[in-house]
């Protein structure tokens, strides 16, 4: 009788363990969509904004120094009319004096030299004027945005509807590049310091 009770107890224990293990599992799904369409971005001047040599004496001591603005021409040509956006990547992440803008690298060891930001202008989508829009939730919702920021998707909408991303075959725009050097009194410019901004604009298909 005791042996029988022991066997029953073991059987119940095993059943309980199996049930608990099954309840601790989780499913994983891998999905996506391969599209036959592709977009090719291109930017004028090889994507280079060169401010040349700037004398440290010409920098503002107690406030940021705004450098002359530059304008680059950005074109995106697609195989067909499709919805797409741009995802900005700061290749100097963590060096900007503003978290929403691109960095210019570090000087004097670990000091942030400044920032730059991009302002889209004169958008033309398939020959029709458009407006710059952005999404902070992965493309679910869109809003009008004059200055494009990091951590947002960049796109184009019609001039009277900022809430909808346009499907586009050819997009052309001017990108105004605005650069600021942080107050100069925090730096040691006894040696040359490079302005070292770098960014990647990645086409995202939506």
């Amino acid at each position: 009788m005791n042996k029988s009770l022991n066997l029953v107890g073991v059987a119940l224990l095993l059943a309980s363990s199996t049930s608990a293990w099954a309840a601790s599992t989780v499913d994983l799904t891998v999905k996506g969509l391969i599209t036959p369409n592709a977009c090719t971005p291109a930017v004028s001047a090889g994507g280079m904004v060169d401010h040349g040599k700037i004398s440290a004496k010409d920098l503002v001591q107690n406030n940021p120094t705004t450098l002359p603005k530059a304008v680059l021409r950005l074109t995106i040509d697609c195989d067909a009319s499709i919805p797409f956006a741009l995802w900005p990547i700061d290749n100097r992440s963590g060096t900007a004096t503003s978290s929403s803008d691109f960095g210019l690298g570090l000087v004097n060891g670990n000091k942030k030299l400044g920032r730059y930001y991009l302002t889209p202008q004169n958008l033309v989508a398939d020959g029709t004027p458009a407006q710059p829009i952005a999404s902070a939730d992965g493309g679910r919702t869109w809003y009008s945005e004059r200055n494009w920021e990091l951590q947002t998707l960049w796109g184009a909408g019609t001039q009277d509807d900022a809430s909808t991303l346009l499907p586009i075959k050819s997009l052309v725009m001017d990108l105004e590049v605005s650069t600021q050097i942080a107050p100069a009194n925090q730096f040691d410019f006894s040696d040359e310091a490079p302005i070292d901004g770098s960014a990647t604009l990645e086409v995202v298909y939506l």
Side-chain angles (χ1 to χ4, degrees):
M1 180 66 71
N2 289 337
K3 290 184 178 180
S4 297
L5 288 174
N6 288 338
L7 290 173
V8 170
V10 172
L12 290 175
L13 178 61
L14 290 174
S16 176
S17 298
T18 302
S19 176
W21 176 82
S24 299
T25 63
V26 65
D27 292 331
L28 173 65
T29 301
V30 179
K31 60 185 298 185
L33 183 67
I34 298 175
T35 174
N37 302 311
C39 298
T40 303
V43 65
S44 64
M48 174 69 70
V49 175
D50 188 354
H51 290 288
K53 285 195 173 184
I54 302 169
S55 173
K57 295 180 179 179
D58 293 333
L59 299 176
V60 181
Q61 293 297 306
N62 299 315
N63 287 293
T65 300
T66 300
L67 302 184
K69 294 181 178 180
V71 177
L72 298 175
R73 190 74 162 174
L74 174 65
T75 61
I76 303 175
D77 292 317
C78 304
D79 297 334
S81 181
I82 58 174
F84 66 85
L86 292 173
W87 177 251
I89 301 170
D90 185 2
N91 298 327
R92 301 293 180 264
S93 179
T95 71
T97 50
S98 170
S99 60
S100 61
D101 298 325
F102 300 90
L104 295 174
L106 301 175
V107 298
N108 302 151
N110 61 355
K111 294 183 178 179
K112 299 176 181 179
L113 182 60
R115 65 178 182 131
Y116 67 99
Y117 57 92
L118 306 178
T119 303
Q121 299 175 338
N122 306 318
L123 275 69
V124 178
D126 295 331
T128 302
Q131 68 166 312
I133 60 177
S135 173
D137 57 11
R140 290 186 294 274
T141 60
W142 294 87
Y143 54 89
S144 181
E145 181 58 74
R146 179 178 179 274
N147 291 324
W148 278 338
E149 299 179 339
L150 292 173
Q151 305 305 316
T152 60
L153 285 171
W154 304 349
T158 64
Q159 288 189 315
D160 57 359
D161 182 10
S163 65
T164 304
L165 180 69
L166 276 174
I168 300 171
K169 188 174 188 296
S170 176
L171 179 64
V172 182
M173 73 182 78
D174 293 326
L175 277 182
E176 184 179 76
V177 184
S178 302
T179 305
Q180 282 190 337
I181 304 299
N185 57 6
Q186 63 183 297
F187 303 116
D188 176 9
F189 286 128
S190 55
D191 293 321
E192 289 187 347
I195 299 174
D196 186 31
S198 174
T200 299
L201 302 182
E202 180 182 351
V203 177
V204 178
Y205 305 102
L206 300 171

